[in-house]
Amino acid sequence: MKKVVCLLSLVVFVNVLFSQSPVPNPVDSQIIVLPAQWSIISTYIQPLDSNIAQVMNPIVQNIVIVKAWQGLTYWPQYGLNMIGDIDIMHGYQIKMVEADTLAVYGTIANPTNHPVILSTGWDIIPYLRTSSAPIATMMSDIETNIKIVKNGMGQVYWPQWSLNSIVLMNPGEGYQINMNASDILIYPSNGISFNSAFSCGDQIIDYDGNMYNTVLIGNQCWMKENLRSVHYSNGAPIQFIDDDEVWNDLYTNDKAFCYWNDNPVYAPAWGVLYTWGAVMNGEVSSNEVPSGVQGVCPVGWHVPSDEEWKILEGTVDSLYGYPNQEWDTTYWRGSDAGFKLKATSGWFINGNSNPNGNDQYGFSAQAGSYREPGGSFNYWAEDAMFWTSTSIYTIWPIRRYLRNDYNGIARDAQYPNGGLSVRCIRHSDALPTALPTVSTDSIQHISTNRVTIGGKVIEDGQLYVSERGLCWNTTGSPTTSDSILILGSGRGPFSKSQTGFATDTTYYIRAFAINTLGTSYGDEMQFIINSQTITCGYQISDYDGNVYNTVLIGNQCWMQENLRTTHYANGNPLIDGTNAGGIAGNDTTQFMFDYNNNTSYTNVYGKLYTWAAVMGSFSSSVSVPSGVQGICPVGWHVPSNDEYWVLNYFLGGEQVAGGKLKDATNNYWFPLYNQATNESGFTALPCGSRYNDGTFAPINKRGSWWTATGYVHAHFMTLLHNYNESFDQTWYKEMGRSVRCLKD
């Protein structure tokens, strides 16, 4: 039961491959991000339960329709399921009403053992590898029989015309393919890595799926278009602000973006306008070459420094080369650098007979205008401004400025809450290549059956990191020839909550990263899993003195009753929501409720809480354990979505766990179709819930329990009187739901 909300609009950011590992019967997972629109998906996981209704159940409330390659549909709104079981040998079209994420659990399929049979005409194919690879390489054996391949963003691989805007095939994506003749597609093994070599002039893609052309000017490789990403490369969103007064109130490091005149129609040509805080994303000012500031740029690219802009100017100007004191001055400089950087069309004439440039070097600067620090927008199509990564006196970032009536290029400082364009520049290919630099995280959350291990690829050595992960043994100095856990590719952090280790045994573990030069290892760590068991079954109390029974389920110690506290463990009170009425849109107030505003229900069913009340001052967590004490007593925490998944998996999976969790006395659950056994001892009661309009769901037919995992919406586990399943759902945070706490 797991669902979470890179350079892609549809991206898999967790994939786990086990090899030579002592893990018994491992369950692998793939997490797929789905946009609020049509997309094409596939999975390399053979699901535990292949029925599409079960696989899609955690996100069913956001699904409009799913279509298979034969025209069969899964249409949950109308109870229609013509697809039945998901076939990993095919992709699926899916339309979402809201962006969401899908977790698929099961076993990783070996791509070499799953040939994709292709007939003449159209089909939807999967991508069965756990890491990205060039589409041209993947399709090379069947290229002569391919008419065209399309992805969910409309990009194409069209070998007949040498067109390739897809570039990489990515886990989680599906592809429409039209074949001239039947053929068989066999993907290479996951053990084979592909170095995604880049040549300036190739297209690149950002997290949102926007494609950019690139151009080599001198020794610098620049984006040929203004950046238009609204997410950082790790998927974190940038705040959108379309209110002048709110924009005016932004501070030095506030992160925000907008479209010119608050109209996204200008974004494809002019890009997005960013505050300097959004551009830098917390990194410090730099005037180095290269700047080293990735900021808002895609992986492998960075925000150019003031000095890097000077190099560009000196490269293109007819009179002043680089270095030259001309470029160290402020305001309008150079003879014709601006003219040579401006695009040949799109600049407003406004009395100037020649407002456009000659775009001699292919930089193609567009008149994207800018947003004043006060929130208003400058004149349409008359100027273009670009941020650098360099500031003076820490609060005055330096910009570049082109106008329709000047041939030079201006250099001055700007308030950081102005809205300016961004051009990213490629890390210098002249830098020496090297082995990756990788660190091993300290070992976390050791329990009788689980340990959290991880690491971070700090530097890639200017080469693509094809594999990264952890290796371990019981003798010391582990290598990739020992037990190994592969956790993706590229730079950045990675971690996994892992089971299967023997007790009372010393393990030695190191993080590793592989590029084309070889393998690097992080520092060696040690850990021992103690064999003593968790004690559970005693009573605990909260701040108010309420007493709760506890129960051991697997290796998790759960409260056996719903929480009913009115205070946090530090004594801070919650807000009584009895008279709150409708609170739609208020997802920050820490409300508590009695069912139907009647305290007589509380002793048996517990209280209902908004997600803000449950979390307190803590942030969303997908960890095991979550680390979120929130509303729980000292020594206990709000379980993450993953921890509820552990519970369900221990009980045989989501499809049967509900019956094993529900009270079996028939004193509480509506008896019709109720097949509860409560063999777990969890004793779940149908506690109802409070809607954000102030009404309540029936108390004897359903119960729902918040998790510590939330994004736009928050996750909760739902049990229904007429189903044996346990459902993972997400919905509004201002809803009132029950809470069960879990022992640290």
Side-chain angles (χ1 to χ4, degrees):
M1 171 177 155
K2 183 175 181 182
K3 180 162 70 76
V4 182
V5 243
C6 62
L7 305 171
L8 304 157
S9 65
L10 178 65
V11 62
V12 179
F13 56 88
V14 174
N15 50 72
V16 182
L17 168 66
F18 294 89
S19 66
Q20 306 174 24
S21 170
V23 181
N25 300 318
V27 175
D28 303 316
S29 64
Q30 182 180 17
I31 300 174
I32 304 171
V33 178
L34 300 167
Q37 58 192 32
W38 281 104
S39 59
I40 309 175
I41 64 171
S42 68
T43 179
Y44 53 69
I45 296 287
Q46 187 64 58
L48 294 171
D49 185 339
S50 295
N51 190 281
I52 192 169
Q54 290 298 317
V55 174
M56 298 293 176
N57 180 68
I59 62 169
V60 67
Q61 72 277 6
N62 288 327
I63 293 176
V64 177
I65 194 171
V66 181
K67 295 183 179 180
W69 66 101
Q70 323 98 313
L72 302 177
T73 59
Y74 168 60
W75 207 343
Q77 180 182 357
Y78 298 101
L80 184 64
N81 183 0
M82 299 171 61
I83 294 176
D85 289 348
I86 282 182
D87 182 357
I88 67 169
M89 306 305 295
H90 291 277
Y92 295 84
Q93 294 174 299
I94 183 170
K95 186 176 183 181
M96 303 289 292
V97 66
E98 287 190 27
D100 212 330
T101 51
L102 173 67
V104 185
Y105 295 93
T107 304
I108 292 177
N110 184 341
T112 59
N113 295 336
H114 291 79
V116 180
I117 309 301
L118 298 169
S119 301
T120 303
W122 284 101
D123 203 341
I124 304 178
I125 61 172
Y127 181 66
L128 297 177
R129 287 171 45 82
T130 56
S131 59
S132 302
I135 189 171
T137 304
M138 297 298 97
M139 299 291 156
S140 59
D141 289 342
I142 65 169
E143 178 181 314
T144 56
N145 289 325
I146 293 175
K147 282 186 180 178
I148 193 170
V149 181
K150 298 180 181 180
N151 66 9
M153 294 177 285
Q155 295 153 354
V156 300
Y157 171 66
W158 205 344
Q160 179 183 357
W161 302 102
S162 299
L163 294 177
N164 183 5
S165 58
I166 294 177
V167 185
L168 291 178
M169 299 186 80
N170 300 290
E173 291 187 339
Y175 301 84
Q176 293 178 307
I177 188 169
N178 193 353
M179 299 291 293
N180 291 310
S182 59
D183 211 331
I184 299 176
L185 170 64
I186 301 177
Y187 289 109
S189 164
N190 286 318
I192 299 175
S193 61
F194 296 89
N195 184 3
S196 57
F198 172 84
S199 297
C200 198
D202 291 347
Q203 288 187 316
I204 65 166
I205 188 170
D206 64 21
Y207 179 88
D208 296 328
N210 299 306
M211 298 293 297
Y212 303 89
N213 293 305
T214 61
V215 60
L216 185 67
I217 304 177
N219 291 317
Q220 295 177 314
C221 185
W222 288 83
M223 279 186 177
K224 200 172 179 177
E225 303 157 50
N226 293 351
L227 192 68
R228 48 191 185 274
S229 178
V230 299
H231 291 82
Y232 294 106
S233 63
N234 64 0
I238 306 171
Q239 181 184 19
F240 171 63
I241 294 179
D242 59 358
D243 184 277
D244 290 357
E245 292 185 6
V246 176
W247 190 278
N248 180 60
D249 292 338
L250 294 173
Y251 289 97
T252 302
N253 295 315
D254 286 344
K255 304 174 186 178
F257 81 92
C258 66
Y259 305 105
W260 188 82
N261 211 29
D262 295 324
N263 192 338
V265 72
Y266 294 104
W270 291 358
V272 166
L273 302 176
Y274 304 90
T275 63
W276 194 65
V279 171
M280 298 296 285
N281 193 25
E283 299 186 61
V284 298
S285 167
S286 169
N287 197 30
E288 300 296 319
V289 178
S291 73
V293 176
Q294 180 184 340
V296 75
C297 294
V299 173
W301 294 72
H302 63 270
V303 182
S305 65
D306 180 48
E307 199 65 26
E308 287 177 290
W309 271 97
K310 292 178 184 177
I311 294 173
L312 172 66
E313 293 159 343
T315 301
V316 303
D317 197 83
S318 298
L319 294 182
Y320 304 99
Y322 175 87
N324 193 293
Q325 291 182 350
E326 174 72 9
W327 306 119
D328 298 331
T329 60
T330 56
Y331 302 110
W332 294 102
R333 306 124 64 243
S335 64
D336 56 5
F339 179 71
K340 292 183 176 181
L341 292 175
K342 287 190 292 184
T344 57
S345 63
W347 289 78
F348 182 52
I349 295 177
N350 194 25
N352 183 359
S353 60
N354 189 19
N356 300 302
N358 69 0
D359 197 21
Q360 179 176 333
Y361 290 86
F363 189 82
S364 302
Q366 297 290 332
S369 194
Y370 67 100
R371 189 171 198 169
E372 298 280 3
S376 62
F377 291 91
N378 202 35
Y379 298 111
W380 179 82
E382 291 190 7
D383 39 41
M385 296 188 184
F386 301 93
W387 286 122
T388 75
S389 65
T390 309
S391 66
I392 53 177
Y393 308 117
T394 71
I395 61 170
W396 290 98
I398 297 175
R399 66 177 178 177
R400 288 303 187 273
Y401 185 11
L402 303 175
R403 277 188 60 88
N404 62 342
D405 52 358
Y406 280 86
N407 287 333
I409 182 167
R411 171 180 179 258
D412 62 6
Q414 169 66 288
Y415 288 103
N417 64 329
L420 275 65
S421 302
V422 173
R423 287 291 182 97
C424 299
I425 186 172
R426 178 81 175 173
H427 299 336
S428 174
D429 293 331
L431 292 175
T433 58
L435 288 169
T437 303
V438 60
S439 62
T440 308
D441 291 347
S442 58
I443 310 300
Q444 302 289 328
H445 311 314
I446 300 174
S447 67
T448 55
N449 76 328
R450 187 175 294 275
V451 60
T452 300
I453 52 182
K456 181 178 182 180
V457 178
I458 302 169
E459 296 291 343
D460 57 14
Q462 301 299 312
L463 294 169
Y464 177 64
V465 173
S466 57
E467 289 183 356
R468 66 189 190 191
L470 289 306
C471 56
W472 63 87
N473 62 24
T474 58
T475 57
S477 300
T479 70
T480 52
S481 298
D482 295 306
S483 297
I484 184 175
L485 179 65
I486 297 175
L487 292 170
S489 58
R491 294 171 54 174
F494 51 90
S495 64
K496 178 73 166 60
S497 182
Q498 180 74 323
T499 60
F501 296 103
T503 57
D504 301 320
T505 301
T506 301
Y507 284 91
Y508 302 87
I509 188 167
R510 294 195 292 182
F512 70 87
I514 301 173
N515 67 15
T516 53
L517 290 184
T519 304
S520 293
Y521 296 94
D523 293 336
E524 182 179 284
M525 301 288 179
Q526 301 179 27
F527 66 92
I528 300 175
I529 296 181
N530 198 302
S531 60
Q532 76 178 72
T533 58
I534 300 173
T535 58
C536 194
Y538 52 86
Q539 290 185 321
I540 65 166
S541 60
D542 61 27
Y543 180 88
D544 295 338
N546 298 307
V547 176
Y548 305 88
N549 293 312
T550 61
V551 59
L552 184 66
I553 307 175
N555 286 298
Q556 294 177 313
C557 185
W558 288 87
M559 279 186 176
Q560 203 174 20
E561 306 165 50
N562 292 346
L563 196 66
R564 47 189 184 272
T565 187
T566 62
H567 292 81
Y568 292 104
N570 63 2
N572 289 341
L574 296 159
I575 298 173
D576 185 355
T578 300
N579 298 315
I583 57 172
N586 179 1
D587 61 3
T588 59
T589 303
Q590 297 166 342
F591 282 122
M592 61 179 178
F593 310 97
D594 299 299
Y595 180 80
N596 214 26
N597 298 322
N598 188 334
T599 57
S600 65
Y601 289 100
T602 302
N603 193 50
V604 174
Y605 294 101
K607 285 189 176 291
L608 304 174
Y609 303 92
T610 60
W611 196 67
V614 173
M615 298 297 286
S617 60
F618 288 82
S619 299
S620 171
S621 171
V622 296
S623 300
V624 178
S626 71
V628 176
Q629 180 183 345
I631 200 173
C632 293
V634 174
W636 293 72
H637 63 271
V638 181
S640 66
N641 209 43
D642 279 20
E643 290 178 288
Y644 269 109
W645 182 86
V646 171
L647 171 67
N648 282 281
Y649 182 70
F650 176 78
L651 296 175
E654 293 173 320
Q655 64 272 22
V656 298
K660 298 177 181 180
L661 291 169
K662 291 187 292 185
D663 175 80
T665 64
N666 279 333
N667 294 329
Y668 303 100
W669 289 92
F670 188 71
L672 187 61
Y673 305 121
N674 185 24
Q675 302 176 31
T677 65
N678 196 31
E679 62 185 76
S680 67
F682 190 84
T683 318
L685 299 181
C687 38
S689 60
R690 185 188 190 273
Y691 297 118
N692 57 11
D693 64 358
T695 61
F696 292 83
I699 198 166
N700 63 345
K701 292 187 177 181
R702 68 185 298 148
S704 57
W705 292 264
W706 283 124
T707 77
T709 306
Y711 301 95
V712 176
H713 296 151
H715 289 252
F716 55 94
M717 179 185 75
T718 294
L719 303 179
L720 301 175
H721 76 101
N722 55 342
Y723 285 89
N724 283 331
E725 285 91 340
S726 166
F727 299 97
D728 168 23
Q729 297 182 306
T730 62
W731 204 234
Y732 296 113
K733 297 176 181 177
E734 61 267 31
M735 303 283 279
R737 305 193 187 279
S738 303
V739 175
R740 288 288 182 100
C741 298
L742 189 59
K743 190 177 187 295
D744 291 347

